[in-house]
PDB file of all heavy atoms in Angstrom:
ATOM      1  N   MET A   1       0.832  -1.221   0.027  1.00  0.00           N
ATOM      2  CA  MET A   1      -0.030  -0.018   0.009  1.00  0.00           C
ATOM      3  C   MET A   1       0.826   1.250  -0.011  1.00  0.00           C
ATOM      4  O   MET A   1       0.397   2.317  -0.459  1.00  0.00           O
ATOM      5  CB  MET A   1      -0.960  -0.049   1.206  1.00  0.00           C
ATOM      6  CG  MET A   1      -2.057  -0.890   1.044  1.00  0.00           C
ATOM      7  SD  MET A   1      -3.255  -0.843   2.327  1.00  0.00           S
ATOM      8  CE  MET A   1      -3.678   0.877   2.410  1.00  0.00           C
ATOM      9  N   ASP A   2       2.077   1.150   0.480  1.00  0.00           N
ATOM     10  CA  ASP A   2       2.921   2.315   0.505  1.00  0.00           C
ATOM     11  C   ASP A   2       3.261   2.741  -0.944  1.00  0.00           C
ATOM     12  O   ASP A   2       3.652   3.920  -1.136  1.00  0.00           O
ATOM     13  CB  ASP A   2       4.219   2.073   1.320  1.00  0.00           C
ATOM     14  CG  ASP A   2       5.009   0.811   0.788  1.00  0.00           C
ATOM     15  OD1 ASP A   2       4.418   0.045   0.067  1.00  0.00           O
ATOM     16  OD2 ASP A   2       6.193   0.783   1.146  1.00  0.00           O
ATOM     17  N   GLY A   3       3.042   1.898  -1.925  1.00  0.00           N
ATOM     18  CA  GLY A   3       3.279   2.202  -3.305  1.00  0.00           C
ATOM     19  C   GLY A   3       2.093   2.949  -4.025  1.00  0.00           C
ATOM     20  O   GLY A   3       2.181   3.301  -5.099  1.00  0.00           O
ATOM     21  N   VAL A   4       0.984   3.038  -3.215  1.00  0.00           N
ATOM     22  CA  VAL A   4      -0.220   3.669  -3.704  1.00  0.00           C
ATOM     23  C   VAL A   4      -0.664   4.771  -2.807  1.00  0.00           C
ATOM     24  O   VAL A   4      -1.201   4.532  -1.736  1.00  0.00           O
ATOM     25  CB  VAL A   4      -1.315   2.564  -3.851  1.00  0.00           C
ATOM     26  CG1 VAL A   4      -2.576   3.171  -4.414  1.00  0.00           C
ATOM     27  CG2 VAL A   4      -0.900   1.409  -4.678  1.00  0.00           C
ATOM     28  N   PRO A   5      -0.422   6.010  -3.215  1.00  0.00           N
ATOM     29  CA  PRO A   5      -0.818   7.108  -2.324  1.00  0.00           C
ATOM     30  C   PRO A   5      -2.360   7.265  -2.259  1.00  0.00           C
ATOM     31  O   PRO A   5      -3.075   6.952  -3.198  1.00  0.00           O
ATOM     32  CB  PRO A   5      -0.192   8.351  -3.014  1.00  0.00           C
ATOM     33  CG  PRO A   5       0.166   7.933  -4.348  1.00  0.00           C
ATOM     34  CD  PRO A   5       0.259   6.451  -4.319  1.00  0.00           C
ATOM     35  N   ALA A   6      -2.851   7.785  -1.174  1.00  0.00           N
ATOM     36  CA  ALA A   6      -4.303   7.968  -1.017  1.00  0.00           C
ATOM     37  C   ALA A   6      -4.773   8.942  -2.084  1.00  0.00           C
ATOM     38  O   ALA A   6      -4.050   9.861  -2.482  1.00  0.00           O
ATOM     39  CB  ALA A   6      -4.559   8.660   0.418  1.00  0.00           C
ATOM     40  N   GLY A   7      -5.923   8.680  -2.578  1.00  0.00           N
ATOM     41  CA  GLY A   7      -6.496   9.497  -3.679  1.00  0.00           C
ATOM     42  C   GLY A   7      -6.072   9.025  -5.073  1.00  0.00           C
ATOM     43  O   GLY A   7      -6.539   9.573  -6.050  1.00  0.00           O
ATOM     44  N   ASP A   8      -5.091   8.174  -5.183  1.00  0.00           N
ATOM     45  CA  ASP A   8      -4.622   7.680  -6.431  1.00  0.00           C
ATOM     46  C   ASP A   8      -5.691   6.803  -7.112  1.00  0.00           C
ATOM     47  O   ASP A   8      -6.479   6.141  -6.504  1.00  0.00           O
ATOM     48  CB  ASP A   8      -3.335   6.749  -6.278  1.00  0.00           C
ATOM     49  CG  ASP A   8      -2.684   6.469  -7.571  1.00  0.00           C
ATOM     50  OD1 ASP A   8      -3.087   5.524  -8.204  1.00  0.00           O
ATOM     51  OD2 ASP A   8      -1.689   7.212  -7.903  1.00  0.00           O
ATOM     52  N   PRO A   9      -5.796   6.887  -8.478  1.00  0.00           N
ATOM     53  CA  PRO A   9      -6.794   5.991  -9.200  1.00  0.00           C
ATOM     54  C   PRO A   9      -6.650   4.547  -8.865  1.00  0.00           C
ATOM     55  O   PRO A   9      -7.686   3.764  -9.094  1.00  0.00           O
ATOM     56  CB  PRO A   9      -6.517   6.342 -10.611  1.00  0.00           C
ATOM     57  CG  PRO A   9      -5.779   7.667 -10.645  1.00  0.00           C
ATOM     58  CD  PRO A   9      -4.965   7.756  -9.322  1.00  0.00           C
ATOM     59  N   ALA A  10      -5.508   4.104  -8.338  1.00  0.00           N
ATOM     60  CA  ALA A  10      -5.320   2.679  -8.063  1.00  0.00           C
ATOM     61  C   ALA A  10      -5.913   2.271  -6.674  1.00  0.00           C
ATOM     62  O   ALA A  10      -6.036   1.072  -6.368  1.00  0.00           O
ATOM     63  CB  ALA A  10      -3.815   2.293  -8.178  1.00  0.00           C
ATOM     64  N   MET A  11      -6.190   3.307  -5.877  1.00  0.00           N
ATOM     65  CA  MET A  11      -6.674   2.987  -4.548  1.00  0.00           C
ATOM     66  C   MET A  11      -7.931   2.112  -4.471  1.00  0.00           C
ATOM     67  O   MET A  11      -8.011   1.295  -3.542  1.00  0.00           O
ATOM     68  CB  MET A  11      -6.857   4.204  -3.700  1.00  0.00           C
ATOM     69  CG  MET A  11      -7.053   3.984  -2.294  1.00  0.00           C
ATOM     70  SD  MET A  11      -5.787   2.883  -1.504  1.00  0.00           S
ATOM     71  CE  MET A  11      -4.510   3.913  -1.089  1.00  0.00           C
ATOM     72  N   PRO A  12      -8.890   2.235  -5.305  1.00  0.00           N
ATOM     73  CA  PRO A  12     -10.052   1.359  -5.258  1.00  0.00           C
ATOM     74  C   PRO A  12      -9.668  -0.164  -5.430  1.00  0.00           C
ATOM     75  O   PRO A  12     -10.253  -0.960  -4.781  1.00  0.00           O
ATOM     76  CB  PRO A  12     -10.962   1.808  -6.342  1.00  0.00           C
ATOM     77  CG  PRO A  12     -10.659   3.340  -6.544  1.00  0.00           C
ATOM     78  CD  PRO A  12      -9.127   3.360  -6.273  1.00  0.00           C
ATOM     79  N   LEU A  13      -8.677  -0.441  -6.233  1.00  0.00           N
ATOM     80  CA  LEU A  13      -8.260  -1.829  -6.415  1.00  0.00           C
ATOM     81  C   LEU A  13      -7.597  -2.274  -5.107  1.00  0.00           C
ATOM     82  O   LEU A  13      -7.720  -3.404  -4.699  1.00  0.00           O
ATOM     83  CB  LEU A  13      -7.288  -2.027  -7.588  1.00  0.00           C
ATOM     84  CG  LEU A  13      -6.784  -3.417  -7.783  1.00  0.00           C
ATOM     85  CD1 LEU A  13      -7.959  -4.403  -8.045  1.00  0.00           C
ATOM     86  CD2 LEU A  13      -5.817  -3.425  -9.065  1.00  0.00           C
ATOM     87  N   VAL A  14      -6.747  -1.446  -4.556  1.00  0.00           N
ATOM     88  CA  VAL A  14      -6.090  -1.816  -3.271  1.00  0.00           C
ATOM     89  C   VAL A  14      -7.150  -2.049  -2.211  1.00  0.00           C
ATOM     90  O   VAL A  14      -7.095  -2.998  -1.478  1.00  0.00           O
ATOM     91  CB  VAL A  14      -5.056  -0.728  -2.849  1.00  0.00           C
ATOM     92  CG1 VAL A  14      -4.537  -1.000  -1.445  1.00  0.00           C
ATOM     93  CG2 VAL A  14      -4.021  -0.633  -3.783  1.00  0.00           C
ATOM     94  N   ARG A  15      -8.140  -1.161  -2.106  1.00  0.00           N
ATOM     95  CA  ARG A  15      -9.170  -1.385  -1.151  1.00  0.00           C
ATOM     96  C   ARG A  15      -9.979  -2.601  -1.312  1.00  0.00           C
ATOM     97  O   ARG A  15     -10.227  -3.475  -0.420  1.00  0.00           O
ATOM     98  CB  ARG A  15     -10.132  -0.132  -1.235  1.00  0.00           C
ATOM     99  CG  ARG A  15     -11.145  -0.083  -0.120  1.00  0.00           C
ATOM    100  CD  ARG A  15     -11.929   1.276  -0.101  1.00  0.00           C
ATOM    101  NE  ARG A  15     -11.064   2.444   0.062  1.00  0.00           N
ATOM    102  CZ  ARG A  15     -10.862   3.363  -0.933  1.00  0.00           C
ATOM    103  NH1 ARG A  15     -11.479   3.217  -2.062  1.00  0.00           N
ATOM    104  NH2 ARG A  15     -10.088   4.362  -0.723  1.00  0.00           N
ATOM    105  N   LYS A  16     -10.308  -2.952  -2.632  1.00  0.00           N
ATOM    106  CA  LYS A  16     -11.038  -4.174  -2.969  1.00  0.00           C
ATOM    107  C   LYS A  16     -10.165  -5.411  -2.674  1.00  0.00           C
ATOM    108  O   LYS A  16     -10.724  -6.425  -2.163  1.00  0.00           O
ATOM    109  CB  LYS A  16     -11.440  -4.136  -4.468  1.00  0.00           C
ATOM    110  CG  LYS A  16     -12.111  -5.431  -4.858  1.00  0.00           C
ATOM    111  CD  LYS A  16     -13.474  -5.505  -4.236  1.00  0.00           C
ATOM    112  CE  LYS A  16     -14.283  -6.704  -4.816  1.00  0.00           C
ATOM    113  NZ  LYS A  16     -15.536  -6.881  -4.162  1.00  0.00           N
ATOM    114  N   THR A  17      -8.881  -5.343  -2.903  1.00  0.00           N
ATOM    115  CA  THR A  17      -7.969  -6.435  -2.537  1.00  0.00           C
ATOM    116  C   THR A  17      -8.043  -6.710  -1.021  1.00  0.00           C
ATOM    117  O   THR A  17      -8.215  -7.852  -0.637  1.00  0.00           O
ATOM    118  CB  THR A  17      -6.531  -6.137  -2.948  1.00  0.00           C
ATOM    119  OG1 THR A  17      -6.501  -5.862  -4.377  1.00  0.00           O
ATOM    120  CG2 THR A  17      -5.624  -7.188  -2.627  1.00  0.00           C
ATOM    121  N   HIS A  18      -8.009  -5.652  -0.198  1.00  0.00           N
ATOM    122  CA  HIS A  18      -8.012  -5.880   1.263  1.00  0.00           C
ATOM    123  C   HIS A  18      -9.348  -6.320   1.707  1.00  0.00           C
ATOM    124  O   HIS A  18      -9.403  -7.117   2.596  1.00  0.00           O
ATOM    125  CB  HIS A  18      -7.492  -4.603   1.980  1.00  0.00           C
ATOM    126  CG  HIS A  18      -6.005  -4.475   1.846  1.00  0.00           C
ATOM    127  ND1 HIS A  18      -5.070  -5.074   2.769  1.00  0.00           N
ATOM    128  CD2 HIS A  18      -5.222  -3.838   0.912  1.00  0.00           C
ATOM    129  CE1 HIS A  18      -3.840  -4.774   2.386  1.00  0.00           C
ATOM    130  NE2 HIS A  18      -3.916  -4.040   1.289  1.00  0.00           N
ATOM    131  N   GLN A  19     -10.408  -5.871   1.116  1.00  0.00           N
ATOM    132  CA  GLN A  19     -11.715  -6.313   1.462  1.00  0.00           C
ATOM    133  C   GLN A  19     -11.871  -7.751   1.126  1.00  0.00           C
ATOM    134  O   GLN A  19     -12.516  -8.579   1.852  1.00  0.00           O
ATOM    135  CB  GLN A  19     -12.795  -5.498   0.692  1.00  0.00           C
ATOM    136  CG  GLN A  19     -12.939  -4.049   1.134  1.00  0.00           C
ATOM    137  CD  GLN A  19     -13.822  -3.220   0.290  1.00  0.00           C
ATOM    138  OE1 GLN A  19     -14.079  -3.599  -0.807  1.00  0.00           O
ATOM    139  NE2 GLN A  19     -14.168  -2.069   0.808  1.00  0.00           N
ATOM    140  N   THR A  20     -11.301  -8.191  -0.024  1.00  0.00           N
ATOM    141  CA  THR A  20     -11.383  -9.548  -0.424  1.00  0.00           C
ATOM    142  C   THR A  20     -10.600 -10.460   0.512  1.00  0.00           C
ATOM    143  O   THR A  20     -11.077 -11.602   0.834  1.00  0.00           O
ATOM    144  CB  THR A  20     -10.857  -9.710  -1.913  1.00  0.00           C
ATOM    145  OG1 THR A  20     -11.711  -8.867  -2.748  1.00  0.00           O
ATOM    146  CG2 THR A  20     -10.985 -11.239  -2.428  1.00  0.00           C
ATOM    147  N   ILE A  21      -9.441 -10.087   0.872  1.00  0.00           N
ATOM    148  CA  ILE A  21      -8.657 -10.855   1.803  1.00  0.00           C
ATOM    149  C   ILE A  21      -9.395 -11.034   3.140  1.00  0.00           C
ATOM    150  O   ILE A  21      -9.492 -12.204   3.616  1.00  0.00           O
ATOM    151  CB  ILE A  21      -7.262 -10.158   2.075  1.00  0.00           C
ATOM    152  CG1 ILE A  21      -6.376 -10.158   0.887  1.00  0.00           C
ATOM    153  CG2 ILE A  21      -6.508 -10.906   3.227  1.00  0.00           C
ATOM    154  CD1 ILE A  21      -5.160  -9.306   0.909  1.00  0.00           C
ATOM    155  N   ARG A  22      -9.994 -10.010   3.626  1.00  0.00           N
ATOM    156  CA  ARG A  22     -10.805 -10.116   4.765  1.00  0.00           C
ATOM    157  C   ARG A  22     -11.952 -11.039   4.704  1.00  0.00           C
ATOM    158  O   ARG A  22     -12.177 -11.910   5.517  1.00  0.00           O
ATOM    159  CB  ARG A  22     -11.226  -8.711   5.244  1.00  0.00           C
ATOM    160  CG  ARG A  22     -12.075  -8.764   6.524  1.00  0.00           C
ATOM    161  CD  ARG A  22     -12.604  -7.391   6.919  1.00  0.00           C
ATOM    162  NE  ARG A  22     -13.325  -7.487   8.168  1.00  0.00           N
ATOM    163  CZ  ARG A  22     -13.847  -6.429   8.714  1.00  0.00           C
ATOM    164  NH1 ARG A  22     -13.798  -5.254   8.254  1.00  0.00           N
ATOM    165  NH2 ARG A  22     -14.539  -6.587   9.859  1.00  0.00           N
ATOM    166  N   LYS A  23     -12.690 -10.909   3.527  1.00  0.00           N
ATOM    167  CA  LYS A  23     -13.859 -11.722   3.373  1.00  0.00           C
ATOM    168  C   LYS A  23     -13.438 -13.195   3.213  1.00  0.00           C
ATOM    169  O   LYS A  23     -14.098 -14.085   3.839  1.00  0.00           O
ATOM    170  CB  LYS A  23     -14.622 -11.322   2.134  1.00  0.00           C
ATOM    171  CG  LYS A  23     -15.783 -12.130   1.677  1.00  0.00           C
ATOM    172  CD  LYS A  23     -17.046 -11.492   1.939  1.00  0.00           C
ATOM    173  CE  LYS A  23     -18.282 -12.210   1.397  1.00  0.00           C
ATOM    174  NZ  LYS A  23     -18.457 -13.626   1.707  1.00  0.00           N
ATOM    175  N   VAL A  24     -12.429 -13.520   2.443  1.00  0.00           N
ATOM    176  CA  VAL A  24     -11.982 -14.838   2.239  1.00  0.00           C
ATOM    177  C   VAL A  24     -11.532 -15.482   3.536  1.00  0.00           C
ATOM    178  O   VAL A  24     -11.824 -16.645   3.887  1.00  0.00           O
ATOM    179  CB  VAL A  24     -10.953 -14.926   1.053  1.00  0.00           C
ATOM    180  CG1 VAL A  24     -10.367 -16.322   1.020  1.00  0.00           C
ATOM    181  CG2 VAL A  24     -11.628 -14.573  -0.209  1.00  0.00           C
ATOM    182  N   THR A  25     -10.757 -14.698   4.320  1.00  0.00           N
ATOM    183  CA  THR A  25     -10.284 -15.109   5.599  1.00  0.00           C
ATOM    184  C   THR A  25     -11.384 -15.492   6.551  1.00  0.00           C
ATOM    185  O   THR A  25     -11.424 -16.586   7.089  1.00  0.00           O
ATOM    186  CB  THR A  25      -9.392 -13.980   6.246  1.00  0.00           C
ATOM    187  OG1 THR A  25      -8.341 -13.738   5.362  1.00  0.00           O
ATOM    188  CG2 THR A  25      -8.899 -14.476   7.540  1.00  0.00           C
ATOM    189  N   GLU A  26     -12.380 -14.688   6.533  1.00  0.00           N
ATOM    190  CA  GLU A  26     -13.595 -14.970   7.465  1.00  0.00           C
ATOM    191  C   GLU A  26     -14.410 -16.105   6.924  1.00  0.00           C
ATOM    192  O   GLU A  26     -14.869 -16.986   7.671  1.00  0.00           O
ATOM    193  CB  GLU A  26     -14.474 -13.713   7.620  1.00  0.00           C
ATOM    194  CG  GLU A  26     -13.720 -12.580   8.460  1.00  0.00           C
ATOM    195  CD  GLU A  26     -14.492 -11.342   8.444  1.00  0.00           C
ATOM    196  OE1 GLU A  26     -15.493 -11.169   7.759  1.00  0.00           O
ATOM    197  OE2 GLU A  26     -13.944 -10.373   9.134  1.00  0.00           O
ATOM    198  N   ASP A  27     -14.555 -16.124   5.595  1.00  0.00           N
ATOM    199  CA  ASP A  27     -15.386 -17.265   5.032  1.00  0.00           C
ATOM    200  C   ASP A  27     -14.685 -18.599   5.254  1.00  0.00           C
ATOM    201  O   ASP A  27     -15.435 -19.575   5.416  1.00  0.00           O
ATOM    202  CB  ASP A  27     -15.551 -17.000   3.524  1.00  0.00           C
ATOM    203  CG  ASP A  27     -16.630 -15.968   3.207  1.00  0.00           C
ATOM    204  OD1 ASP A  27     -17.336 -15.539   4.146  1.00  0.00           O
ATOM    205  OD2 ASP A  27     -16.727 -15.506   2.077  1.00  0.00           O
ATOM    206  N   ILE A  28     -13.411 -18.691   5.181  1.00  0.00           N
ATOM    207  CA  ILE A  28     -12.698 -19.882   5.399  1.00  0.00           C
ATOM    208  C   ILE A  28     -12.630 -20.288   6.802  1.00  0.00           C
ATOM    209  O   ILE A  28     -12.860 -21.453   7.207  1.00  0.00           O
ATOM    210  CB  ILE A  28     -11.304 -19.911   4.641  1.00  0.00           C
ATOM    211  CG1 ILE A  28     -11.486 -19.892   3.178  1.00  0.00           C
ATOM    212  CG2 ILE A  28     -10.454 -21.054   5.109  1.00  0.00           C
ATOM    213  CD1 ILE A  28     -10.203 -19.739   2.393  1.00  0.00           C
ATOM    214  N   SER A  29     -12.136 -19.366   7.634  1.00  0.00           N
ATOM    215  CA  SER A  29     -11.785 -19.714   9.011  1.00  0.00           C
ATOM    216  C   SER A  29     -12.919 -19.622  10.017  1.00  0.00           C
ATOM    217  O   SER A  29     -12.912 -20.197  11.084  1.00  0.00           O
ATOM    218  CB  SER A  29     -10.590 -18.861   9.492  1.00  0.00           C
ATOM    219  OG  SER A  29     -10.964 -17.511   9.524  1.00  0.00           O
ATOM    220  N   VAL A  30     -13.937 -18.779   9.733  1.00  0.00           N
ATOM    221  CA  VAL A  30     -15.012 -18.629  10.670  1.00  0.00           C
ATOM    222  C   VAL A  30     -16.302 -19.214  10.273  1.00  0.00           C
ATOM    223  O   VAL A  30     -16.909 -20.014  10.935  1.00  0.00           O
ATOM    224  CB  VAL A  30     -15.252 -17.048  10.972  1.00  0.00           C
ATOM    225  CG1 VAL A  30     -16.380 -16.828  11.880  1.00  0.00           C
ATOM    226  CG2 VAL A  30     -13.979 -16.402  11.549  1.00  0.00           C
ATOM    227  N   ARG A  31     -16.700 -18.893   8.971  1.00  0.00           N
ATOM    228  CA  ARG A  31     -18.052 -19.286   8.551  1.00  0.00           C
ATOM    229  C   ARG A  31     -17.990 -20.664   7.793  1.00  0.00           C
ATOM    230  O   ARG A  31     -19.058 -21.247   7.669  1.00  0.00           O
ATOM    231  CB  ARG A  31     -18.679 -18.235   7.639  1.00  0.00           C
ATOM    232  CG  ARG A  31     -18.873 -16.954   8.310  1.00  0.00           C
ATOM    233  CD  ARG A  31     -19.422 -15.833   7.437  1.00  0.00           C
ATOM    234  NE  ARG A  31     -19.477 -16.031   6.005  1.00  0.00           N
ATOM    235  CZ  ARG A  31     -20.552 -16.099   5.272  1.00  0.00           C
ATOM    236  NH1 ARG A  31     -21.783 -15.936   5.801  1.00  0.00           N
ATOM    237  NH2 ARG A  31     -20.540 -16.260   3.963  1.00  0.00           N
ATOM    238  N   PHE A  32     -16.825 -21.079   7.326  1.00  0.00           N
ATOM    239  CA  PHE A  32     -16.714 -22.309   6.539  1.00  0.00           C
ATOM    240  C   PHE A  32     -17.540 -22.299   5.334  1.00  0.00           C
ATOM    241  O   PHE A  32     -18.064 -23.329   4.911  1.00  0.00           O
ATOM    242  CB  PHE A  32     -16.958 -23.570   7.369  1.00  0.00           C
ATOM    243  CG  PHE A  32     -16.201 -23.616   8.663  1.00  0.00           C
ATOM    244  CD1 PHE A  32     -16.778 -23.447   9.837  1.00  0.00           C
ATOM    245  CD2 PHE A  32     -14.820 -23.761   8.576  1.00  0.00           C
ATOM    246  CE1 PHE A  32     -16.044 -23.547  11.023  1.00  0.00           C
ATOM    247  CE2 PHE A  32     -14.084 -23.795   9.672  1.00  0.00           C
ATOM    248  CZ  PHE A  32     -14.684 -23.690  10.919  1.00  0.00           C
TER     249      PHE A  32
END
């Protein structure tokens, strides 16, 4: 993320990547 400054056009992809990591982590380890 340090390679992507806030407000950069690439930030939505970084945000979606982290949201996906969180969702997949929870889906696998908590909700199955």
Side-chain angles (χ1 to χ4, degrees):
M1 283 186 53
D2 55 344
V4 183
D8 190 277
M11 191 49 86
L13 179 59
V14 172
R15 191 173 299 113
K16 179 66 173 177
T17 299
H18 285 274
Q19 289 169 347
T20 302
I21 294 168
R22 180 179 182 181
K23 174 108 171 55
V24 171
T25 301
E26 291 172 357
D27 284 348
I28 289 175
S29 64
V30 177
R31 297 175 354 115
F32 306 112

